[in-house]
Amino acid sequence: MLRDFGDGPFGIYVHVPFCATRCGYCDFNTYTAGELGSSASPQSWLTALRGELATAATQFAALPTATPEVSTVFVGGGTPSLLGGDGLAAVLDAVRAEFTLAAGAEVTTESNPESTSPEFFERIRAAGFTRVSLGMQSAAAHVLKVLDRTHTPGRAVAAALEARAAGFEHVNLDLIYGTPGERDADLDASLDAVLGAGVDHVSAYSLIVEDGTALARRVRRGELPAPDDDVLAARYERIDARLRAAGFGWYEVSNWAIGDAAVCRHNLGYWDGGDWLGAGPGAHSHVGGVRWWNVKHPARYADRVGGGGLPAAGWEALSADERYTERVMLAVRLRTGLPLAELDASALAAVERVVADGLALRTPDDRLVLTDRGRLLADGVVRDLLD
């Protein structure tokens, strides 16, 4: 199944499937203790994770090309901070036991503000983590309530300040905008809080009502209105203006950073078509044009790993057309844009249309880069290029 590694960076993503509660808008592969019962635990998950990493390292070693050094590690979820500082240190130790981290590797963990503390940040900083991403969503209590978030409005900013005090130079805060009931004043308060936290990275995502979630059921019953596209566009422009004025620059449609050192290198690996191993229940991997994904339930995941193999539920070898499509879809969203030399004749004809419509610019070095208006219509630009 596996092919040689590509020429780009190699990262490792570790999926932690545990959450204290289930947020109403979330459709990620996560489980509360009540949902799992005795079928799985952080301890059984960590044992299985070590096994998966060991098996993957062995299979990679059999490829004709040497396994690259790991340039980025990202521990996501779920709620990785529920593992505690010692638990996250054990996760990073498990990665180091099987793979070589490059000098200056970026090592990120996501965290819920309510399950962090000054001692937590000090422990993971000492363990080798270099970056923290905190789920803030909003500074308005009534917005957090609609999203079923359990943290208090001020806790995310306090956690960011604690992380910086522990020595983290790179701290991200996540925002969600367009929640039913959110007002412009609520968004402004959230942005005030973000900028007051002194972070160097902000991610801001429009609320998406995912099928099968509690939020989707509430919208379907008429208890909440669906997000309005015009409102979402206006909120995005409001966010971008405030962040730009504070020294942030966009480098991906939903991500802003203060300087190149603050960008999330792990996510750039995804967007640039790099290789990565996704370890943990439901995690996706990509190596050399081959993609595979793990079984989702933690108990089944542990059983598969215990059997001595990779816990893959399925895999696919991407065709040249599929790789081209993904390249266009992802590169268009980046501030660095899409090299025109990579486009076929049909897409080059579409380039002239999107430039004429003011949705993108053709740079002097022949790259297609979205304008401010184009970022609002990025999906439409992609469709034009691929049709």
Side-chain angles (χ1 to χ4, degrees):
M1 178 183 79
L2 291 180
R3 297 174 179 171
D4 289 350
F5 288 91
D7 297 328
F10 174 53
I12 293 180
Y13 171 77
V14 176
H15 186 71
V16 180
F18 308 109
C19 280
T21 60
R22 182 173 296 281
C23 297
Y25 64 93
C26 180
D27 71 337
F28 294 165
N29 187 45
T30 62
Y31 305 83
T32 66
E35 290 168 340
L36 287 173
S38 60
S39 67
S41 68
Q43 292 73 31
S44 64
W45 166 84
L46 181 59
T47 298
L49 176 71
R50 291 183 176 122
E52 182 186 9
L53 291 170
T55 300
T58 298
Q59 295 199 9
F60 289 163
L63 296 176
T65 55
T67 304
E69 291 185 336
V70 178
S71 58
T72 62
V73 177
F74 195 106
V75 185
T79 310
S81 49
L82 285 179
L83 300 177
D86 289 343
L88 282 171
V91 169
L92 189 52
D93 285 344
V95 172
R96 288 195 182 110
E98 305 297 340
F99 296 90
T100 301
L101 267 63
E106 175 193 89
V107 184
T108 302
T109 184
E110 293 180 334
S111 297
N112 185 318
E114 288 296 332
S115 52
T116 63
S117 66
E119 295 75 21
F120 167 84
F121 291 118
E122 290 166 4
R123 177 69 180 97
I124 63 172
R125 186 72 187 93
F129 284 83
T130 66
R131 187 174 180 277
V132 173
S133 181
L134 295 159
M136 175 178 172
Q137 280 66 56
S138 176
H142 69 97
V143 173
L144 293 175
K145 184 176 181 180
V146 171
L147 296 173
D148 294 323
R149 295 290 296 185
T150 58
H151 64 269
T152 54
R155 177 56 203 157
V157 169
L161 294 171
E162 291 166 2
R164 288 177 54 79
F168 282 95
E169 294 181 25
H170 304 307
V171 181
N172 171 66
L173 283 172
D174 274 350
L175 290 176
I176 291 178
Y177 61 93
T179 300
E182 180 189 60
R183 302 161 299 190
D184 286 347
D186 298 323
L187 181 60
D188 288 342
S190 297
L191 291 167
D192 288 343
V194 166
L195 297 177
V199 299
D200 64 351
H201 191 286
V202 177
S203 300
Y205 304 101
S206 64
L207 179 66
I208 298 176
V209 180
E210 300 285 2
D211 289 342
T213 62
L215 179 62
R217 291 190 289 273
R218 295 183 69 187
V219 170
R220 189 168 57 248
R221 292 194 298 262
E223 297 174 15
L224 294 171
D228 180 272
D229 288 342
D230 290 336
V231 171
L232 294 177
R235 295 273 160 79
Y236 180 88
E237 291 176 327
R238 201 178 192 96
I239 291 167
D240 186 55
R242 286 291 305 277
L243 293 179
R244 283 192 184 190
F248 288 81
W250 78 278
Y251 69 96
E252 192 274 341
V253 167
S254 299
N255 290 272
W256 293 258
I258 298 180
D260 291 343
V263 305
C264 180
R265 288 159 45 199
H266 185 85
N267 285 342
L268 275 179
Y270 298 147
W271 298 322
D272 282 335
D275 291 324
W276 71 91
L277 169 67
H284 286 232
S285 302
H286 173 271
V287 172
V290 175
R291 180 186 292 122
W292 67 97
W293 48 95
N294 288 347
V295 295
K296 288 187 173 183
H297 197 279
R300 290 188 61 215
Y301 166 76
D303 287 344
R304 289 282 189 92
V305 175
L310 288 174
W315 68 278
E316 60 182 348
L318 300 178
S319 68
D321 285 345
E322 288 169 330
R323 296 181 78 170
Y324 173 81
T325 295
E326 292 200 356
R327 172 64 175 157
V328 172
M329 289 176 61
L330 297 173
V332 163
R333 296 178 62 86
L334 296 175
R335 179 66 182 86
T336 50
L338 178 63
L340 297 182
E342 297 183 13
L343 297 178
D344 60 24
S346 174
L348 287 173
V351 165
E352 302 306 321
R353 294 195 298 272
V354 298
V355 169
D357 290 342
L359 301 179
L361 299 173
R362 187 169 185 163
T363 66
D365 58 347
D366 276 338
R367 304 177 78 91
L368 186 72
V369 175
L370 295 175
T371 61
D372 291 348
R373 179 168 171 262
R375 279 188 283 155
L376 295 172
L377 301 169
D379 291 344
V381 172
V382 169
R383 286 193 297 271
D384 285 344
L385 294 175
L386 293 175
D387 282 348

PDB file of all heavy atoms in Angstrom, residues 278-290:
ATOM      1  N   GLY A 278      -1.064  10.093  10.698  1.00  0.00           N
ATOM      2  CA  GLY A 278      -2.115  10.380  11.659  1.00  0.00           C
ATOM      3  C   GLY A 278      -2.303   9.174  12.560  1.00  0.00           C
ATOM      4  O   GLY A 278      -2.654   8.090  12.087  1.00  0.00           O
ATOM      5  N   ALA A 279      -2.025   9.329  13.841  1.00  0.00           N
ATOM      6  CA  ALA A 279      -2.099   8.227  14.795  1.00  0.00           C
ATOM      7  C   ALA A 279      -3.240   8.471  15.770  1.00  0.00           C
ATOM      8  O   ALA A 279      -3.467   9.596  16.210  1.00  0.00           O
ATOM      9  CB  ALA A 279      -0.779   8.075  15.554  1.00  0.00           C
ATOM     10  N   GLY A 280      -3.961   7.405  16.111  1.00  0.00           N
ATOM     11  CA  GLY A 280      -5.084   7.515  17.026  1.00  0.00           C
ATOM     12  C   GLY A 280      -6.387   7.189  16.323  1.00  0.00           C
ATOM     13  O   GLY A 280      -6.454   7.110  15.083  1.00  0.00           O
ATOM     14  N   PRO A 281      -7.467   7.007  17.071  1.00  0.00           N
ATOM     15  CA  PRO A 281      -8.763   6.633  16.483  1.00  0.00           C
ATOM     16  C   PRO A 281      -9.266   7.666  15.488  1.00  0.00           C
ATOM     17  O   PRO A 281      -9.347   8.855  15.793  1.00  0.00           O
ATOM     18  CB  PRO A 281      -9.685   6.550  17.706  1.00  0.00           C
ATOM     19  CG  PRO A 281      -8.773   6.352  18.868  1.00  0.00           C
ATOM     20  CD  PRO A 281      -7.519   7.088  18.534  1.00  0.00           C
ATOM     21  N   GLY A 282      -9.601   7.218  14.288  1.00  0.00           N
ATOM     22  CA  GLY A 282     -10.167   8.107  13.278  1.00  0.00           C
ATOM     23  C   GLY A 282      -9.181   9.010  12.573  1.00  0.00           C
ATOM     24  O   GLY A 282      -9.570   9.768  11.685  1.00  0.00           O
ATOM     25  N   ALA A 283      -7.893   8.952  12.922  1.00  0.00           N
ATOM     26  CA  ALA A 283      -6.909   9.845  12.313  1.00  0.00           C
ATOM     27  C   ALA A 283      -6.653   9.467  10.861  1.00  0.00           C
ATOM     28  O   ALA A 283      -6.707   8.296  10.489  1.00  0.00           O
ATOM     29  CB  ALA A 283      -5.602   9.800  13.105  1.00  0.00           C
ATOM     30  N   HIS A 284      -6.373  10.474  10.041  1.00  0.00           N
ATOM     31  CA  HIS A 284      -6.055  10.287   8.625  1.00  0.00           C
ATOM     32  C   HIS A 284      -4.560  10.489   8.401  1.00  0.00           C
ATOM     33  O   HIS A 284      -3.937  11.328   9.056  1.00  0.00           O
ATOM     34  CB  HIS A 284      -6.828  11.286   7.764  1.00  0.00           C
ATOM     35  CG  HIS A 284      -8.281  10.959   7.635  1.00  0.00           C
ATOM     36  ND1 HIS A 284      -8.929  10.869   6.421  1.00  0.00           N
ATOM     37  CD2 HIS A 284      -9.229  10.686   8.568  1.00  0.00           C
ATOM     38  CE1 HIS A 284     -10.194  10.563   6.602  1.00  0.00           C
ATOM     39  NE2 HIS A 284     -10.411  10.454   7.907  1.00  0.00           N
ATOM     40  N   SER A 285      -4.009   9.735   7.455  1.00  0.00           N
ATOM     41  CA  SER A 285      -2.593   9.835   7.106  1.00  0.00           C
ATOM     42  C   SER A 285      -2.446  10.045   5.607  1.00  0.00           C
ATOM     43  O   SER A 285      -3.345   9.725   4.823  1.00  0.00           O
ATOM     44  CB  SER A 285      -1.838   8.552   7.499  1.00  0.00           C
ATOM     45  OG  SER A 285      -1.942   8.269   8.877  1.00  0.00           O
ATOM     46  N   HIS A 286      -1.271  10.560   5.207  1.00  0.00           N
ATOM     47  CA  HIS A 286      -0.963  10.727   3.785  1.00  0.00           C
ATOM     48  C   HIS A 286       0.541  10.593   3.591  1.00  0.00           C
ATOM     49  O   HIS A 286       1.324  11.318   4.217  1.00  0.00           O
ATOM     50  CB  HIS A 286      -1.415  12.099   3.285  1.00  0.00           C
ATOM     51  CG  HIS A 286      -0.981  12.395   1.878  1.00  0.00           C
ATOM     52  ND1 HIS A 286       0.224  12.994   1.583  1.00  0.00           N
ATOM     53  CD2 HIS A 286      -1.568  12.133   0.684  1.00  0.00           C
ATOM     54  CE1 HIS A 286       0.352  13.118   0.275  1.00  0.00           C
ATOM     55  NE2 HIS A 286      -0.722  12.605  -0.287  1.00  0.00           N
ATOM     56  N   VAL A 287       0.945   9.655   2.770  1.00  0.00           N
ATOM     57  CA  VAL A 287       2.362   9.482   2.447  1.00  0.00           C
ATOM     58  C   VAL A 287       2.482   9.182   0.956  1.00  0.00           C
ATOM     59  O   VAL A 287       1.928   8.186   0.472  1.00  0.00           O
ATOM     60  CB  VAL A 287       3.014   8.354   3.267  1.00  0.00           C
ATOM     61  CG1 VAL A 287       4.434   8.071   2.760  1.00  0.00           C
ATOM     62  CG2 VAL A 287       3.060   8.714   4.750  1.00  0.00           C
ATOM     63  N   GLY A 288       3.178  10.046   0.227  1.00  0.00           N
ATOM     64  CA  GLY A 288       3.473   9.794  -1.164  1.00  0.00           C
ATOM     65  C   GLY A 288       2.267   9.566  -2.051  1.00  0.00           C
ATOM     66  O   GLY A 288       2.316   8.752  -2.977  1.00  0.00           O
ATOM     67  N   GLY A 289       1.175  10.271  -1.783  1.00  0.00           N
ATOM     68  CA  GLY A 289      -0.010  10.112  -2.612  1.00  0.00           C
ATOM     69  C   GLY A 289      -0.933   8.989  -2.187  1.00  0.00           C
ATOM     70  O   GLY A 289      -1.933   8.720  -2.862  1.00  0.00           O
ATOM     71  N   VAL A 290      -0.625   8.319  -1.080  1.00  0.00           N
ATOM     72  CA  VAL A 290      -1.507   7.292  -0.524  1.00  0.00           C
ATOM     73  C   VAL A 290      -2.104   7.830   0.767  1.00  0.00           C
ATOM     74  O   VAL A 290      -1.390   8.341   1.634  1.00  0.00           O
ATOM     75  CB  VAL A 290      -0.753   5.976  -0.247  1.00  0.00           C
ATOM     76  CG1 VAL A 290      -1.666   4.959   0.442  1.00  0.00           C
ATOM     77  CG2 VAL A 290      -0.198   5.396  -1.543  1.00  0.00           C
TER      78      VAL A 290
END
